[in-house]
Amino acid sequence: MGTLASAVAFGVVLASVIAIAAMGFTIQFGLTNVLNLSYGGIMTVGGFAAYLVTSNGLSAWYGLVVGAAAGAIVTLVVGRGIFSAYAHRGAKVFEMMMVTLGLGLVIDYGLQAISHNNVYEFTVLQSAPIKLGPIILTPTQVIIVGIGLALYVGLEALLRMTKTGKALRAMAADPALARACGIRTRQIVVLTWLLSGALCGLAGVVYIINSQSVGYTSGELFLPLVIAAAILGGAGSPGGAVLASLLMGIVTQVVAAYGGSLYSTAAGFGVLVVVLLTRPSAVLTKQANEELTLA
Amino acid sequence: MSAWSYYISTLVIYFGIDILSGISLNLQYGYAGVVNLAFIVFQAAGAYVAAATSLGPDTGAASFQHYIFASNLPFPIPLVLATLAGGALAGVVGLFSLRRMRRDYQGAIMLIVSLIALQVVTADVSLFNGSNGLTGVPHPLSFIPVGPLAYQWVYAGWVFVFCVVVYMAVRWLSRSPWGRALKAMRDQEDAAGAIGLNITVLRLQVFVVGGLIAGLSGGLLVEYIGAWSPGAWGYAETFVIFTAIFVGGLGNYRGVVLGVLLVPVIFLQVTQFLPQFGYPGLVDSLEWVVIGLLFMLCLLVRPRGILPERKPVATEGGALPFTEPGPLPYLRRRAGRPVA
């Protein structure tokens, strides 16, 4: 019983990391229709930015801010500078995905070149672990869950209670109609790049805080879990992404706790496969919807 | 002189194997529009099976490597098994991943399949010796009494026999009614379904045929280099072949051969001759960066490749059912300019 409880607790911690990334991914994907495979690379950029800040003696909180800013800026630059160039030439979703995969290679191996292919240790100040019955968590892990929760609540509030959020949701639902209604879709796309990029950078920082090291493959190895969660939760739905992240995080950690540590990550993907087989409507979308909406 | 001969024969062998990979991907994506970003997994399956079935029995605790399917089968059988393994795995993967969905979803799911497979094989040492991989695969053509250098050229010839056979077979297939059905499915999936083509079966068929070729290429590769490990089949390797067929020209087999010659052979080999600078490994990283940039540039500047797919000749009734052929039915570049 104790094993299960602590496995679930670790699962929730992992889920928080996945969820932060998956929320950004799903917003980006839902609004622009770009399945951005360079997202993992941009997460790593955020992670390295935070590493630079903290290795210069600032606290991990500054690392979070700088990581988020780095993610937002890089995402905006590639979104406005690169992706829209292809969109204007009429690239469809698949070609765009291949472009993001190529960009992912550029970012990943560029970081490998810059980081001299080293893995850097990243530790934040540790204090006494917190015990809740059989569950033992470090304060850092609790903070990670807190950050994830706060971001989810904040994002939902932004989407549901503000006018900008309403515009975002309108654009995700029907870009042409949103434009016809006078929503400035170009600005909304810029906002989407910034918002999703910030979440991406934050996720990168939180990920390296959790795994206590940063290397050029950090984001890339984590990206499949993020994509799986975003697809499972439904494109454009932060709530769905969070639920899917919880499911995948808990399954991964429970499998790991019961001896299958070799297969723990594969089990997380197994969830996606099972869903594909049993509930294909979760990922089946209209064929017609292959237009990119980058404005 | 013999060093050069050795080097060039090595290149020729890689060229042949990459042609097989390119043909496989081109059949799947260029003709049928099936996105196989897990290509390298099927090649790896062939390689592992060929290695394990020719290495001989795994001698238990004394052995330094562990693997399943351990046996010591005579010459052509491991290669046949490799081919079948690629096809069989493609059948299994295809059953759950080839549902009708957006192409980018499908690509992402294939990519995930590729990463899961890599993680499982790396982590589970009992499958194919984990991250160390298999080594010491015997040379299959060693019964031919020639020296090591001549053996290189014999093997290159052996690979090219397969290249020619597969090239002819696939070209014949893609001109057959089946190949035209694939193109119809690629260009207008709903319409193809409406005229009675079974989309699901077609997709699975082309996926398995591509898997067979991938398995064959893996078997040929491992029987040449003699070793295989997870380091050899990252997702980026699939991307290189994709870049090759995009650069060369999708849906055009000559384009595929050209692209394979340009990207994995010439481009990736030329960098071996560059003076090494920086710390060791820097050039290797930059090589991947440039491959990524090359793909992005190709899609921006020449999205149909150097040798584009030939337009189908118009038949009775005048207009074709679709306006632009090819898997990239886009590029309305500037108004007033006809799409070439």
Side-chain angles (χ1 to χ4, degrees):
Chain A
M1 200 55 221
T3 326
L4 184 64
S6 57
V8 170
F10 282 125
V12 172
V13 175
L14 178 63
S16 308
V17 184
I18 302 174
I20 296 171
M23 281 190 287
F25 191 90
T26 203
I27 290 177
Q28 196 175 86
F29 185 41
L31 259 101
T32 62
N33 238 346
V34 177
L35 205 158
N36 184 1
L37 296 176
S38 65
Y39 197 82
I42 297 174
M43 270 178 74
T44 320
V45 171
F48 269 110
Y51 171 77
L52 288 180
V53 170
T54 52
S55 62
N56 284 323
L58 291 170
S59 84
W61 294 106
Y62 288 103
L64 282 171
V65 174
V66 171
I73 292 166
V74 174
T75 306
L76 183 64
V77 168
V78 298
R80 296 296 300 166
I82 299 175
F83 298 163
S84 60
Y86 289 91
H88 281 308
R89 296 206 156 199
K92 290 283 187 294
V93 285
F94 173 71
E95 286 92 44
M96 187 59 92
M97 187 198 71
M98 292 299 287
V99 168
T100 65
L101 185 58
L103 181 69
L105 273 187
V106 173
I107 295 178
D108 279 350
Y109 286 92
L111 285 172
Q112 187 190 37
I114 295 169
S115 69
H116 289 216
N117 199 8
N118 285 331
V119 175
Y120 298 92
E121 231 173 89
F122 186 93
T123 43
V124 289
L125 227 51
Q126 295 289 352
S127 40
I130 300 166
K131 283 189 189 180
L132 286 169
I135 305 167
I136 303 168
L137 290 174
T138 62
T140 318
Q141 285 173 318
V142 176
I143 290 173
I144 288 173
V145 176
I147 292 174
L149 201 62
L151 285 173
Y152 172 59
V153 172
L155 192 62
E156 284 288 352
L158 172 73
L159 288 177
R160 304 212 174 278
M161 294 176 183
T162 65
K163 213 156 186 185
T164 318
K166 207 172 185 179
L168 279 165
R169 284 187 293 139
M171 174 127 178
D174 190 336
L177 187 58
R179 195 176 302 134
C181 292
I183 292 170
R184 295 190 177 162
T185 49
R186 191 178 283 262
Q187 289 178 7
I188 294 296
V189 170
V190 169
L191 182 71
T192 307
W193 293 128
L194 286 174
L195 188 63
S196 60
L199 282 168
C200 174
L202 270 177
V205 183
V206 171
Y207 176 73
I208 65 165
I209 290 176
N210 195 35
S211 66
Q212 302 190 347
S213 67
V214 56
Y216 78 99
T217 53
S218 296
E220 182 211 305
L221 294 177
F222 194 62
L223 183 65
L225 278 172
V226 175
I227 298 177
I231 291 180
L232 206 55
S237 154
V242 170
L243 277 181
S245 307
L246 276 173
L247 183 65
M248 300 189 76
I250 291 173
V251 166
T252 308
Q253 292 297 329
V254 168
V255 170
Y258 286 94
S261 65
L262 296 179
Y263 286 93
S264 68
T265 316
F269 299 129
V271 174
L272 179 69
V273 173
V274 169
V275 170
L276 268 179
L277 284 172
T278 54
R279 217 179 117 248
S281 61
V283 294
L284 296 189
T285 43
K286 291 170 296 256
Q287 279 282 319
N289 186 19
E290 295 213 353
E291 295 294 332
L292 293 158
T293 48
L294 296 185
Chain B
M1 201 55 221
S2 77
W4 273 103
S5 175
Y6 194 89
Y7 176 67
I8 290 173
S9 62
T10 310
L11 281 193
V12 170
I13 291 168
Y14 282 136
F15 181 40
I17 288 166
D18 285 337
I19 287 179
L20 288 174
S21 313
I23 289 175
S24 168
L25 266 189
N26 185 46
L27 180 69
Q28 289 179 338
Y29 180 64
Y31 273 84
V34 174
V35 180
N36 186 3
L37 284 180
F39 168 80
I40 201 74
V41 174
F42 307 112
Q43 190 175 52
Y48 277 126
V49 167
T53 53
S54 56
L55 267 171
D58 170 2
T59 45
S63 169
F64 69 98
Q65 49 188 4
H66 300 277
Y67 41 90
I68 52 171
F69 306 133
S71 47
N72 189 1
L73 299 172
F75 157 54
I77 299 176
L79 201 57
V80 174
L81 290 176
T83 312
L84 294 178
L89 187 65
V92 173
V93 171
L95 275 180
F96 71 83
S97 60
L98 287 181
R99 291 162 176 273
R100 285 187 61 174
M101 60 178 90
R102 285 171 40 162
R103 280 192 187 146
D104 56 342
Y105 268 38
Q106 193 158 52
I109 284 168
M110 289 293 176
L111 194 65
I112 291 177
V113 166
S114 177
L115 290 158
I116 300 176
L118 190 65
Q119 268 179 349
V120 168
V121 172
T122 310
D124 194 335
V125 179
S126 64
L127 278 178
F128 293 110
N129 208 34
S131 58
N132 290 328
L134 301 177
T135 181
V137 181
H139 285 173
L141 303 179
S142 52
F143 57 84
I144 301 173
V146 288
L149 179 62
Y151 180 83
Q152 288 271 327
W153 287 104
V154 169
Y155 200 82
W158 171 241
V159 169
F160 262 84
V161 168
F162 281 104
C163 271
V164 171
V165 170
V166 170
Y167 186 96
M168 301 305 269
V170 170
R171 207 176 56 163
W172 174 75
L173 269 180
S174 38
R175 287 176 181 176
S176 70
W178 184 70
R180 292 200 296 274
L182 292 183
K183 278 192 174 182
M185 173 174 79
R186 176 194 74 187
D187 292 326
Q188 290 285 334
E189 196 176 289
D190 292 333
I195 59 167
L197 298 173
N198 189 334
I199 299 293
T200 315
V201 170
L202 269 179
R203 277 174 181 243
L204 198 58
Q205 282 170 343
V206 75
F207 205 65
V208 170
V209 171
L212 290 169
I213 303 173
L216 173 69
S217 71
L220 285 171
L221 187 56
V222 80
E223 289 186 345
Y224 171 65
I225 51 181
W228 192 255
S229 70
W233 51 291
Y235 78 96
E237 307 285 339
T238 310
F239 190 77
V240 172
I241 306 293
F242 257 103
T243 308
I245 64 172
F246 268 84
V247 167
L250 284 168
N252 180 331
Y253 286 108
R254 278 179 218 160
V256 168
V257 174
L258 178 69
V260 164
L261 182 65
L262 288 177
V263 181
V265 178
I266 293 182
F267 181 78
L268 286 184
Q269 286 302 318
V270 162
T271 53
Q272 307 287 322
F273 291 98
L274 289 178
Q276 295 282 324
F277 58 94
Y279 58 92
L282 178 63
V283 172
D284 290 341
S285 319
L286 293 181
E287 203 173 270
W288 288 110
V289 171
V290 177
I291 283 278
L293 289 175
L294 181 68
F295 180 84
M296 290 164 70
L297 190 72
C298 164
L299 211 57
L300 199 61
V301 179
R302 210 169 162 83
R304 286 173 187 282
I306 297 171
L307 297 176
E309 179 181 355
R310 272 183 251 162
K311 283 188 174 183
V313 182
T315 50
E316 321 115 57
L320 290 164
F322 45 90
T323 47
E324 300 157 32
L328 302 164
Y330 72 87
L331 279 212
R332 297 173 291 273
R333 280 204 180 161
R334 282 166 219 110
R337 208 165 143 206
V339 178

